[in-house]
Amino acid sequence: MKEWINVLKAADTAAKWHMNQRRKGANQEPYVNHLIEVATMVATASEGRDPNLVIAALLHDAIEDQKIPREVIAAEFGEDVASLVMEVTDDKALPKPERKRLQVETAHKKTPRAKVLKLADKISNMNSVALSPPEHWSVERRLEYVAWSRSVVTALGDDVDASLLEEFSRAANRAELAAR
Ligand code: ZN
């Protein structure tokens, strides 16, 4: 099994799909940095035993941000990867406050693997808010974002990776300190 080839293919594909996308922070990091950070966290948490979860991490924002059809992901990387990506994809047709509310409300229903991915995504977002928040964000907005992220993570429940949970709470604390 050459799973690592598929993981690299997914990284290559993600770099192309998100080529013109930047993080919203002042540093304007290439978006692929976020995808690789999240993929590295899930690979570490799953001790390299779940290549499909790593692939899903690399592609987790492709539908939401680049409007890549689910079918394209399923055809290239299989149904398992496509359904993991769907589990962490917000419905952009809904207004933002509704999407944020739904993330909290639906968190506990996700599969354990999607929870790992969700948690890693939130850690990466906390790191960004601590190190390079969007320039126009006020202190209140940053604190509000951290508080909302905490409520999503709490809503995931207890059956999540303990070391990722700890990492999230450290990252959230740092983001709050940096805002003040
Ligand atoms: Zn993300």
Side-chain angles (χ1 to χ4, degrees):
M1 283 291 187
K2 292 279 186 271
E3 285 114 341
W4 61 272
I5 294 179
N6 288 332
V7 171
L8 274 176
K9 258 175 63 183
D12 184 45
T13 302
K16 286 173 181 146
W17 282 347
H18 294 269
M19 183 168 66
N20 296 316
Q21 191 181 355
R22 303 266 144 183
R23 288 294 263 170
K24 283 190 218 119
N27 292 346
Q28 297 273 294
E29 273 181 278
Y31 203 80
V32 73
N33 289 27
H34 164 66
L35 304 172
I36 292 173
E37 185 184 16
V38 174
T40 304
M41 283 190 269
V42 304
T44 307
S46 57
E47 295 173 321
R49 285 194 219 101
D50 194 348
N52 275 356
L53 186 57
V54 179
I55 293 171
L58 288 164
L59 306 178
H60 79 272
D61 284 323
I63 297 175
E64 205 173 295
D65 293 340
Q66 298 300 329
K67 300 187 173 66
I68 304 297
R70 179 200 198 283
E71 298 70 41
V72 170
I73 295 175
E76 295 269 328
F77 298 99
E79 260 311 310
D80 182 42
V81 170
S83 72
L84 281 165
V85 173
M86 281 309 290
E87 276 200 83
V88 296
T89 296
D90 285 352
D91 182 357
K92 279 247 171 133
L94 299 170
K96 196 161 183 195
E98 177 71 358
R99 297 204 307 264
K100 291 183 87 171
R101 193 183 62 75
L102 278 173
Q103 279 205 30
V104 179
E105 207 163 88
T106 61
H108 71 282
K109 293 187 221 154
K110 299 198 185 300
T111 59
R113 292 159 81 216
K115 286 184 179 185
V116 171
L117 177 45
K118 191 89 200 162
L119 188 49
D121 189 29
K122 291 289 183 252
I123 295 168
S124 171
N125 291 341
M126 290 300 96
N127 290 341
S128 291
V129 173
L131 299 171
S132 170
E135 264 166 347
H136 62 282
W137 278 25
S138 64
V139 172
E140 286 76 22
R141 180 140 183 213
R142 285 159 71 173
L143 293 176
E144 193 271 333
Y145 182 72
V146 176
W148 167 74
S149 302
R150 282 191 198 276
S151 60
V152 175
V153 168
T154 304
L156 290 172
D158 313 320
D159 57 334
V160 281
D161 185 273
S163 64
L164 280 185
L165 258 190
E166 268 170 42
E167 195 174 337
F168 173 81
S169 89
R170 279 195 301 272
N173 290 341
R174 270 198 305 272
E176 278 173 352
L177 280 172
R180 292 201 162 96

